[in-house]
Amino acid sequence: MSEQYKMLGDKSRLTILASLKVRELCVYDLVDILGISQPGVSQHLRKLKAAGLVTETRKGQWVYYSLTLEDKPHIKAALEFAPSMQQQVEQLKNDCCQ
Amino acid sequence: MSEQYKMLGDKSRLTILASLKVRELCVYDLVDILGISQPGVSQHLRKLKAAGLVTETRKGQWVYYSLTLEDKPHIKAALEFAPSMQQQVEQLKNDCCQ
DNA sequence: TTGACATATAATCAAATAATTATATGATAA
DNA sequence: TTATCATATAATTATTTGATTATATGTCAA
């Protein structure tokens, strides 16, 4: 359980999770949002996947990530309190990942 | 906010917080519960205090720690899901900290 | 005031972490 | 099939972390 909270204990990962709460996103969407390198984002996503918090779906050349929190009420609850990323997600460049 | 979740992201600290949910405890109570060294416990308590999650009160030669979560609903919510430490706290040696 | 006990701090160290750059893999489109 | 784009992995590095031992501080009781 602390392993999952550890995932929230990093600003970038908390932002990733809050963003995925709005909708599923591909890696470059998250690069735009976070302002860190693409491999950096991929590393975080790998950890989140290992912790069982996200899942990936390839769609063409893009890989979309989304939350898998059905069986994790504590993480779900925690994310309720995270600042909304609605705005930032809506303002993503439309020419990415479509 | 991720700084506070980081506090929950360590097994020892999560256990400390769950234990303090039962009642206030002194350092050696927590040494017993956690099975790590006294300085180790003190270090974790220092971080928890710095994060604003606990406060200390000296009572004679003992220092009691207790939760300060009134203004942290997210941490409060998170701890709802942590396994109860009721048993372990009740089974503490009575000859400690009285 | 000295000794015992409770706690804090300092110093140290191995391991984990988060980031980067360089490179590899995988998919699509020309 | 080759170039391009999206993503993943490898290698590297600086920093943080969690633990330990040794020592200092603080409180009380004899």
Side-chain angles (χ1 to χ4, degrees):
Chain A
M1 188 166 172
S2 63
E3 283 310 304
Q4 295 187 333
Y5 281 128
K6 192 175 290 182
M7 293 299 109
L8 309 190
D10 175 88
K11 198 167 183 303
S12 294
R13 282 193 301 264
L14 188 57
T15 304
I16 289 175
L17 293 172
S19 301
L20 293 180
K21 225 183 99 181
V22 181
R23 66 170 169 85
E24 63 174 9
L25 294 168
C26 67
V27 177
Y28 257 93
D29 287 333
L30 292 167
V31 171
D32 277 355
I33 290 174
L34 297 173
I36 62 176
S37 69
Q38 173 266 314
V41 172
S42 282
Q43 300 262 30
H44 282 307
L45 288 169
R46 189 146 63 106
K47 290 187 184 183
L48 290 169
K49 195 171 63 167
L53 304 188
V54 306
T55 189
E56 64 187 72
T57 323
R58 182 174 276 279
K59 296 188 183 177
Q61 53 189 323
W62 297 281
V63 177
Y64 279 82
Y65 283 84
S66 53
L67 299 177
T68 52
L69 302 181
E70 302 74 30
D71 52 336
K72 285 128 205 149
H74 49 117
I75 302 296
K76 227 169 171 173
L79 287 183
E80 298 288 325
F81 295 95
S84 169
M85 292 297 291
Q86 184 92 33
Q87 289 266 355
Q88 292 86 331
V89 168
E90 278 171 1
Q91 281 163 17
L92 284 169
K93 294 193 305 292
N94 285 14
D95 50 24
C96 171
C97 314
Q98 55 180 330
Chain B
M1 187 166 175
S2 63
E3 284 310 303
Q4 295 188 332
Y5 281 128
K6 192 176 289 182
M7 293 300 109
L8 309 189
D10 175 85
K11 198 166 181 307
S12 295
R13 282 194 301 264
L14 188 56
T15 305
I16 289 176
L17 293 172
S19 302
L20 294 180
K21 224 181 101 179
V22 180
R23 65 170 170 85
E24 61 174 11
L25 295 168
C26 68
V27 177
Y28 257 92
D29 287 334
L30 292 167
V31 171
D32 278 356
I33 291 174
L34 297 173
I36 62 176
S37 68
Q38 173 267 313
V41 172
S42 282
Q43 300 262 31
H44 281 307
L45 288 169
R46 189 147 62 105
K47 289 186 187 183
L48 289 169
K49 195 171 61 166
L53 303 187
V54 307
T55 188
E56 64 188 72
T57 322
R58 183 174 276 276
K59 296 186 184 177
Q61 53 189 321
W62 297 281
V63 177
Y64 280 81
Y65 283 85
S66 53
L67 299 178
T68 51
L69 302 181
E70 303 73 31
D71 52 336
K72 285 128 205 146
H74 50 117
I75 302 297
K76 226 168 171 174
L79 287 183
E80 298 288 326
F81 295 96
S84 170
M85 291 297 293
Q86 183 91 32
Q87 289 268 354
Q88 292 87 330
V89 169
E90 278 169 3
Q91 283 163 15
L92 283 171
K93 295 192 304 293
N94 285 13
D95 51 23
C96 171
C97 315
Q98 53 183 325

